[in-house]
Amino acid sequence: MTTDILSQDIQFLPGVGPSRKKILSTELGIASFGDMLMYYPYKYVDRSRLYTVRELTGDMPFVQIRGRILSFETFEMGPRKERVVAHFTDGTGIMDLTWFNGGKYAKKTYKIGTEYIVFGRPAIFNGRINVVHPDIDAADTIEPQGMGLQPYYSTTEKMKKSGITSRTLEKLTKSMLERINTPIKETLPDFITTKHHLMSRDEALRTIHYPKNAHDLERARLRLKFEELFYVQLNIVRYASDHRRKYRGYVFAHIGKLFNGFYHNNLPFPLTEAQKRVVREIRSDMNSGRQMNRLLQGDVGSGKTLVALMAMLIALDNGFQACIMAPTEILAEQHLATINEFIRGMNIRVELLTGIVKGRRRQDVLDGLLSGDVQILVGTHAVIEDTVKFARLGIVVVDEQHRFGVAQRARLWSKSERPPHVLVMTATPIPRTLAMTLYGDLDVSVIDELPPGRKPIVTTNVTDNRTASLYDGIRKQINAGRQIYIVFPLIEESEKSDLKNLENGYETLRQIFPEFRLSKVHGRMKPKEKEEEMRKFVAGETQILVATTVIEVGVNVPNASVMVIFDAQRFGLSQLHQLRGRVGRGAEQSFCILVTSPKMSDDTRKRIDIMCDTCDGFRIAEADLKLRGPGDLEGTQQSGMAFDLKIADIARDGQIVQMARDEAQIIIEDDPECAKAKYATLWNRLKELRKTDINWAAIS
């Protein structure tokens, strides 16, 4: 019965009808009773206390008063405009209720002498307490102690114009809950709700809309957040468990002459302890008989590519091929150059496959893959095209995984009789709670140590009215033989005003530094022009590179020691951290200068302070997650991975994420086939959820 009523069309709720249903559906995605039930309030106002008129002052927050209207007065305010004032008393004094809009409706609806409860923010006007556009309820419809905590719902401009306010949603929700006269179906078994002292689902869904007090509200929130996160985690853990059971991996037991030769003769510097630990974890995976699915996290410059190459050499030693997939052509070319530099003198054929590799050269690469002559392929998503076939693909390295969907990874698996081992790399440090959800099907390795000799980058904030000393500092660095990046915020390629800022900035810098040579790079340039400008900077022919964020990845110039970021307040924390990682790649002390306007919001000030305080990518990622939320984190929103969570917040609910994960793990270990009767509620609910529009595949 309840399931049926929750799926009932919202149009048939009194007060909605076809036109309001259309607005609710297009603006908020509310089409059924169930949708409305899960459209949660974003805040609450305490209405548990009644005030008297005598107690009111002009600087109080929202209050409520019980009393009667004595009379109405109307004041003309120009053509077809009027102000309606009701004089209201509770016996301790008289106050005014004012309407600038809807006055006629107020006069028609509210009766003189009837007892009402008035709610609003008091102010003083003409020496009297005055509440503008108050909420008014008949006193006999509200309990003596008031309404408890009144819910407030987010609305859009279109809704407001159609008369659907937060108060309208509140009344519709109340009316709907009164119609749901049997308990709402439970979705968690007793052993979970009892163990974690959780409210029933029925009680939680009723309480979240109409909590009597803060304690009840907190309990309702805990129950609903746990349920939401638990099913996300259960799906991920189930998927990972299935995957491990179904897919056997190639056993790479042999560590041969390529790996050992590289380790003893070509290693550019001794591995850090963190790199050694990660190589051991990868070797163990590749020798285990199950398919490796490992996420390799490491800050910019921590040596992830070196570790990935060593993993690929293990595959080569066992007679297999390797492939590394990068999100952009510039990054693929960077990987090619880096790998060729690492394996100089070794007899290994490495080839590039991107959109610009065409004709005869492309055919040579494809033939070499099919014959097994090409041992390492470096490419963009071009490598997953159907025409690309390998002789024996043993390992795939995916760089910056968040740019590739699960479906794209799966297409790579089909290029081998067994799924190849997968190593996913990211230079965007991911907080633990987010990694558990974004990459829940992967084992995680972290390189949390920079190679020896690297000095932390000194980061400072300069306001844009004090740039003279900044330019002096740049001049000194160039005279000492260093190179400089100067970044302008062309965040979107369509922002013409930003492009103008970049062009103006470039011309200004040419006038400030007439003695130096400058390069300029932005996303609107033709690839050849861009490459030529980059080449000049890499070769040291130009001393200053003026650029947009296109240099965020794929540029390695050890001689560049200063990164200047103009309008730094317009960048996210993770993006600032990635840009900063372009310097500090040599042995010299490097600097990052964040140029901002003197006036900044509190959130912006926090972001800039965090950047100046730490170079630890994980601390920065945690702060970014807290400030911006998971949907805004770089790489999650762009790839359509923003979570469809209605009440939980991965940034702030880390403890609940862990609690949900632990519970999901226990259940999957006990019932890997998802077949035991005691868990039937869970498996049925998971099936229901998987039929909804939540992008479960992306989440896992």
Side-chain angles (χ1 to χ4, degrees):
M1 162 67 182
T2 315
T3 308
D4 292 339
I5 201 164
L6 290 191
S7 58
Q8 191 167 319
D9 194 326
I10 199 72
Q11 177 176 324
F12 302 113
L13 182 67
V16 178
S19 61
R20 274 189 165 178
K21 182 212 166 157
K22 192 177 175 189
I23 292 165
L24 288 171
S25 179
T26 53
E27 296 296 294
L28 303 179
I30 294 175
S32 67
F33 279 25
D35 294 336
M36 188 145 209
L37 203 54
M38 285 179 214
Y39 188 68
Y40 301 123
Y42 74 95
K43 72 168 186 177
Y44 302 83
V45 172
D46 188 356
R47 290 191 64 174
S48 56
R49 183 181 163 192
L50 285 165
Y51 287 79
T52 61
V53 173
R54 189 169 52 205
E55 290 177 278
L56 301 185
T57 62
D59 57 358
M60 293 172 84
F62 286 89
V63 296
Q64 56 184 1
I65 309 99
R66 187 187 189 109
R68 292 179 168 81
I69 294 172
L70 297 171
S71 61
F72 282 98
E73 242 183 305
T74 303
F75 301 89
E76 296 299 324
M77 290 178 63
R80 294 166 62 192
K81 280 197 168 187
E82 61 181 26
R83 171 167 59 97
V84 171
V85 176
H87 305 298
F88 184 85
T89 184
D90 67 346
T92 71
I94 296 174
M95 62 186 279
D96 291 340
L97 312 176
T98 303
W99 291 267
F100 293 99
N101 299 310
K104 282 182 183 156
Y105 172 84
K107 279 192 288 187
K108 195 167 73 180
T109 308
Y110 306 121
K111 305 287 182 279
I112 291 169
T114 300
E115 196 169 34
Y116 293 108
I117 287 180
V118 165
F119 177 74
R121 191 192 287 271
I124 292 178
F125 181 70
N126 286 341
R128 282 254 281 261
I129 291 288
N130 179 55
V131 173
V132 176
H133 293 161
D135 282 348
I136 300 182
D137 293 281
D140 58 9
T141 64
I142 292 182
E143 295 168 32
Q145 77 273 30
M147 287 176 64
L149 298 176
Q150 183 179 359
Y152 276 69
Y153 299 86
S154 293
T155 54
T156 64
E157 279 309 310
K158 196 171 177 185
M159 288 169 69
K160 286 173 191 154
K161 281 178 186 163
S162 306
I164 305 175
T165 61
S166 169
R167 196 69 203 278
T168 314
L169 289 175
E170 183 205 321
K171 286 177 175 171
L172 290 172
T173 305
K174 189 175 187 184
S175 156
M176 179 186 66
L177 281 167
E178 283 163 1
R179 277 169 172 68
I180 302 172
N181 49 22
T182 55
I184 295 162
K185 185 177 137 195
E186 186 50 81
T187 49
L188 292 174
D190 287 349
F191 68 84
I192 290 182
T193 52
T194 306
K195 179 178 173 182
H196 297 291
H197 311 290
L198 299 173
M199 269 182 177
S200 72
R201 185 166 183 247
D202 179 80
E203 190 184 356
L205 284 167
R206 292 175 190 276
T207 303
I208 198 77
H209 293 285
Y210 290 98
K212 290 282 185 289
N213 53 53
H215 174 69
D216 285 358
L217 172 60
E218 222 29 65
R219 288 192 62 221
R221 274 183 174 150
L222 172 63
R223 156 65 210 230
L224 296 170
K225 285 178 176 186
F226 176 86
E227 179 182 336
E228 203 166 58
L229 292 167
F230 170 73
Y231 278 106
V232 169
Q233 293 300 334
L234 185 64
N235 189 64
I236 291 166
V237 176
R238 180 199 60 79
Y239 172 85
S241 164
D242 273 5
H243 190 88
R244 287 193 181 108
R245 282 184 304 115
K246 280 179 194 164
Y247 296 110
R248 305 302 298 155
Y250 294 116
V251 178
F252 294 160
H254 181 56
I255 303 296
K257 63 174 187 179
L258 292 177
F259 183 94
N260 287 321
F262 175 79
Y263 189 83
H264 294 296
N265 306 320
N266 282 51
L267 207 57
F269 42 75
L271 295 181
T272 62
E273 287 307 313
Q275 284 173 314
K276 285 178 187 171
R277 184 186 69 242
V278 173
V279 170
R280 280 195 299 271
E281 288 167 351
I282 290 168
R283 279 184 64 174
S284 168
D285 279 356
M286 291 168 87
N287 191 27
S288 68
R290 65 181 180 87
Q291 185 208 13
M292 173 170 77
N293 255 319
R294 188 164 285 280
L295 171 68
L296 175 54
Q297 290 194 64
D299 233 330
V300 177
S302 61
K304 293 183 300 299
T305 309
L306 179 61
V307 168
L309 174 61
M310 293 174 80
M312 291 193 280
L313 291 176
I314 294 172
L316 267 58
D317 270 335
N318 285 272
F320 282 79
Q321 294 160 294
C323 167
I324 180 164
M325 190 160 79
T328 63
E329 289 187 358
I330 195 168
L331 193 49
E333 286 166 17
Q334 181 79 38
H335 279 313
L336 180 73
T338 305
I339 289 169
N340 279 331
E341 184 62 33
F342 279 147
I343 62 169
R344 190 185 292 249
M346 295 178 73
N347 186 23
I348 297 172
R349 184 177 171 193
V350 185
E351 292 287 0
L352 179 73
L353 192 67
T354 65
I356 58 169
V357 179
K358 292 188 167 74
R360 182 71 244 156
R361 189 173 153 219
R362 188 181 191 87
Q363 196 53 51
D364 284 348
V365 173
L366 296 178
D367 292 346
L369 287 171
L370 203 49
S371 68
D373 288 348
V374 173
Q375 292 154 285
I376 297 177
L377 180 69
V378 182
T380 54
H381 56 272
V383 306
I384 60 177
E385 289 169 9
D386 293 339
T387 53
V388 181
K389 292 184 170 62
F390 292 81
R392 294 184 88 197
L393 179 61
I395 182 170
V396 175
V397 178
V398 184
D399 195 14
E400 292 304 335
Q401 142 72 14
H402 60 246
R403 318 271 179 111
F404 297 106
V406 173
Q408 285 174 304
R409 267 198 281 161
R411 283 182 68 185
L412 271 168
W413 297 349
S414 65
K415 295 184 179 292
S416 192
E417 62 190 78
R418 279 189 195 174
H421 294 295
V422 176
L423 181 66
V424 167
M425 301 197 298
T426 181
T428 308
I430 303 156
R432 209 168 145 275
T433 52
L434 188 58
M436 229 186 281
T437 310
L438 248 187
Y439 304 112
D441 60 324
L442 305 175
D443 298 310
V444 180
S445 288
V446 179
I447 302 180
D448 50 8
E449 201 181 339
L450 288 177
R454 289 278 175 95
K455 293 177 181 168
I457 300 159
V458 175
T459 306
T460 51
N461 176 211
V462 170
T463 54
D464 52 21
N465 53 2
R466 299 182 58 199
T467 50
S469 59
L470 168 64
Y471 296 141
D472 287 344
I474 288 173
R475 196 168 267 111
K476 280 179 191 156
Q477 285 287 315
I478 298 175
N479 287 331
R482 308 277 159 261
Q483 288 168 280
I484 316 290
Y485 292 106
I486 297 181
V487 173
F488 286 87
L490 181 56
I491 307 290
E492 296 289 339
E493 291 300 340
S494 59
E495 289 185 29
K496 287 181 183 165
S497 60
D498 280 348
L499 191 57
K500 197 170 155 200
N501 287 349
L502 175 87
E503 300 287 2
N504 292 346
Y506 176 71
E507 289 307 321
T508 304
L509 289 164
R510 281 181 61 186
Q511 288 162 25
I512 292 167
F513 300 112
E515 71 273 42
F516 302 133
R517 291 186 300 283
L518 282 69
S519 286
K520 174 176 65 176
V521 176
H522 58 77
R524 293 252 189 102
M525 291 166 74
K526 289 179 178 151
K528 281 203 171 147
E529 291 173 355
K530 208 171 7 181
E531 277 165 31
E532 178 55 20
E533 292 290 296
M534 291 296 300
R535 187 201 61 73
K536 285 186 199 164
F537 187 67
V538 171
E541 293 168 22
T542 53
Q543 288 84 39
I544 298 173
L545 176 61
V546 182
T548 62
T549 54
V550 294
I551 59 151
E552 192 182 330
V553 290
V555 185
N556 184 13
V557 184
N559 192 45
S561 62
V562 180
M563 167 64 72
V564 179
I565 305 171
F566 276 94
D567 287 328
Q569 71 275 6
R570 291 185 58 191
F571 295 86
L573 266 176
S574 291
Q575 203 172 26
L576 288 172
H577 182 61
Q578 290 286 315
L579 286 167
R580 174 168 65 184
R582 296 299 106 211
V583 295
R585 302 173 89 84
E588 298 301 321
Q589 179 63 64
S590 289
F591 304 89
C592 177
I593 319 295
L594 307 174
V595 184
T596 62
S597 60
K599 288 182 182 174
M600 286 186 275
S601 69
D602 287 347
D603 269 4
T604 306
R605 165 59 54 207
K606 277 183 203 158
R607 280 212 311 274
I608 300 298
D609 287 350
I610 289 161
M611 284 299 298
C612 295
D613 289 348
T614 183
C615 284
D616 181 336
F618 286 92
R619 270 188 63 196
I620 286 164
E622 287 282 358
D624 207 15
L625 187 59
K626 288 202 168 93
L627 286 169
R628 303 206 292 166
D632 290 331
L633 264 194
E634 192 169 358
T636 56
Q637 200 171 52
Q638 291 92 314
S639 62
M641 280 186 175
F643 305 119
D644 188 15
L645 297 178
K646 291 185 164 54
I647 191 166
D649 179 331
I650 290 190
R652 293 173 182 82
D653 297 325
Q655 258 182 313
I656 307 175
V657 174
Q658 188 64 61
M659 194 163 103
R661 176 67 164 211
D662 292 346
E663 199 60 58
Q665 206 87 48
I666 291 165
I667 289 158
I668 293 293
E669 278 167 20
D670 187 40
D671 186 15
E673 303 284 343
C674 307
K676 291 191 179 177
K678 68 187 273 196
Y679 302 119
T681 306
L682 302 179
W683 308 134
N684 290 335
R685 179 63 176 158
L686 201 54
K687 274 181 201 154
E688 279 173 30
L689 289 169
R690 287 171 68 83
K691 284 177 191 161
T692 68
D693 58 358
I694 295 175
N695 190 353
W696 290 97
I699 287 176
S700 66

